[in-house]
Amino acid sequence: GQQLNQSPQSMFIQEGEDVSMNCTSSSIFNTWLWYKQDPGEGPVLLIALYKAGELTSNGRLTAQFGITRKDSFLNISASIPSDVGIYFCAALTGNQFYFGTGTSLTVIP
Amino acid sequence: GAVVSQHPSRVICKSGTSVKIECRSLDFQATTMFWYRQFPKQSLMLMATSNEGSKATYEQGVEKDKFLINHASLTLSTLTVTSAHPEDSSFYICSARDLGLAVDGIFGPGTRLTVL
């Protein structure tokens, strides 16, 4: 079952604003991943983090692997309409792979 | 980059029939494949983990006799929903990893199953 708490559950923002979402867990993980899922499609990997404290960017997206290995955040800067979708965090250790509950992002033009 | 495909993308079947869903890693060898189901507006729920050549490990509450998983090769895993019922209607998604190449968490596009 899931062990990741993701917040916020949903966000409604104006185009151009920055977005921040995070995931926390009571367990330690070796890898944190962030995905975006559009309706009717599989999740697409945005950023993968493999080391505690690691900060990684992918265009306007920035994600960090928490130093305690129990959390991670994702920031989206200068949001645009195509950022709309559901964002999931995921964490894995060994062969255990868990998903967050998702953050639904709506960008208002 | 690493790509995972699923077939079919959508299937409609009658109650009581069995449906097979294929998951393939196209340009890497998947040492492990994961199967998820997702209900509308919910997160992905892990059903089972399969390693090539061995039996799948099912999550608690997932009936292994109903959801048969076969990972016969390093590039193919199949999920068979046996004696499907309307409550099995869902979005089924697989993902694959290749530890040797540090390829992780690549998902297929999903299969929409509707049981009438």
Side-chain angles (χ1 to χ4, degrees), chain A residues 38-85:
Chain A
D38 292 325
E41 298 182 16
V44 173
L45 182 63
L46 300 174
I47 293 180
L49 303 158
Y50 297 105
K51 209 158 109 173
E54 180 181 353
L55 183 72
T56 298
S57 292
N58 178 5
R60 293 177 296 106
L61 278 60
T62 302
Q64 183 158 32
F65 190 146
I67 199 74
T68 64
R69 293 164 62 194
K70 294 183 179 181
D71 61 340
S72 177
F73 72 75
L74 174 71
N75 286 341
I76 306 173
S77 62
S79 59
I80 58 179
S82 62
D83 290 334
V84 164

